[in-house]
Amino acid sequence: MRHDLDQKTYTDALAALSWQVDLGVSDVIEEAPINRFDLEPEVKPAPVSPKVAQSKPAPTPAPKAATVSDLAKAADALAQAAPSLDALRAAMADFHGLDLRKGARNMVFSQGNPQADVMVIAEAPSRADDEAGQGFSDEAGKLFDAMFGAIGLSRSAEGQSEALYFTYVSPWRMPQDRPITEAEHQVLRPFLLRHIALCAPKAVVLLGNASCVSALSQTGIQRLRESDHMLVAGAHRCPAFPIYSPARLLNVPLLKREAWADLLKLKASLGGAR
């Protein structure tokens, strides 16, 4: 009897299931509801071909940033290889070790007669110099001309003994006219020393602290003015005369008296009356 009941129940259940399949039922609903948002989906990793895994290149390490020492060595190699002022200018223009050029309109390399007895070195072009593409084109330039004109020297003169030749530690204007950093001095110094060696002047005038740092590796313009200095640039040696820059003299006119004494000292070293 039990067997007959079970068989009938089974037959009825199978008939009911077949009827539901015919109606299109595909899922079985359980007695208790299921929140499928709480279920974590099963993620199967994508198959990786053994050949692809073996051919995958190793990660490339990030390039090592050049140090200040590396940049200074590169600058020195370029400077020493320059046989002329034109070659030196081109080497500096092509040197990408500093980003100073990006904020400047023009490269102000030099002005005057490169065979002049006196070479003047300033820190960097001003805003007016950068716009004009030539040095000392503002009020400081007018004072510059008056200062050296008082001892018979001029940047427009052609004669070797009357002419002036000047350049900058940085031929590019500094961003926001800030001072040159120590790292920038180290990279720019080889170019400056090569510039001096190629011109071989009888005397070098250093306008302000920045010029003294690059040419003499010393700072303190007031103290440096009071002693004698010999500048060494490659095989060339000549006396160096630290002096206040025209911009400093415009800001502190009382220093003009000391600057005049420095100019007379320079004049005396060149042979007196000019």
Side-chain angles (χ1 to χ4, degrees):
M1 185 69 179
R2 182 66 181 175
H3 175 75
D4 295 340
L5 181 61
D6 290 346
Q7 182 65 35
K8 185 177 184 305
T9 302
Y10 172 81
T11 303
D12 292 341
L14 182 60
L17 179 61
S18 299
W19 177 70
Q20 294 181 27
V21 171
D22 291 339
L23 292 177
V25 175
S26 60
D27 294 320
V28 178
I29 300 176
E30 298 185 8
E31 295 182 358
I34 299 176
N35 187 351
R36 299 189 180 277
F37 290 102
D38 293 336
L39 299 179
E40 296 182 2
E42 181 181 358
V43 180
K44 296 182 178 180
V48 179
S49 172
K51 294 183 179 180
V52 175
Q54 292 175 3
S55 62
K56 185 178 180 180
T60 303
K64 184 179 179 181
T67 65
V68 174
S69 177
D70 293 335
L71 294 175
K73 290 178 181 178
D76 185 62
L78 289 173
Q80 295 304 319
S84 65
L85 292 177
D86 289 340
L88 182 65
R89 180 188 180 112
M92 295 188 72
D94 292 338
F95 182 68
H96 295 281
L98 294 173
D99 293 332
L100 298 177
R101 71 182 68 225
K102 295 181 179 179
R105 294 187 179 183
N106 292 290
M107 177 183 181
V108 186
F109 183 71
S110 64
Q111 187 176 356
N113 183 357
Q115 297 180 342
D117 289 343
V118 178
M119 182 177 186
V120 182
I121 300 172
E123 180 173 10
S126 65
R127 177 192 293 271
D129 301 334
D130 183 39
E131 293 176 352
Q134 64 178 13
F136 289 110
S137 58
D138 50 12
E139 289 301 314
K142 294 179 181 179
L143 180 55
F144 176 90
D145 291 333
M147 289 167 57
F148 288 96
I151 60 171
L153 299 175
S154 171
R155 54 175 158 169
S156 61
E158 297 182 359
Q160 182 175 345
S161 59
E162 297 84 19
L164 275 179
Y165 179 77
F166 72 82
T167 187
Y168 294 99
V169 174
S170 169
W172 300 283
R173 180 194 174 200
M174 304 303 296
Q176 287 77 50
D177 294 319
R178 64 165 174 77
I180 299 176
T181 66
E182 177 57 34
E184 290 165 343
H185 272 295
Q186 292 183 44
V187 178
L188 291 167
R189 183 176 291 119
F191 292 116
L192 178 64
L193 295 180
R194 182 59 177 164
H195 202 154
I196 297 170
L198 289 171
C199 292
K202 291 184 178 180
V204 171
V205 177
L206 305 174
L207 297 181
N209 272 320
S211 301
C212 296
V213 171
S214 277
L216 301 176
S217 297
Q218 298 184 61
T219 188
I221 187 68
Q222 185 170 358
R223 173 182 56 81
L224 293 174
R225 289 178 47 257
E226 299 171 354
S227 56
D228 296 332
H229 305 276
M230 185 62 64
L231 191 154
V232 179
H236 182 70
R237 296 169 59 90
C238 67
F241 297 86
I243 186 174
Y244 294 115
S245 67
R248 177 74 183 282
L249 296 176
L250 288 175
N251 292 330
V252 189
L254 291 177
L255 295 177
K256 290 183 178 180
R257 180 175 180 179
E258 297 181 22
W260 175 241
D262 295 333
L263 290 170
L264 291 178
K265 182 179 178 180
L266 169 65
K267 180 180 178 179
S269 73
L270 296 172
R274 309 190 69 78

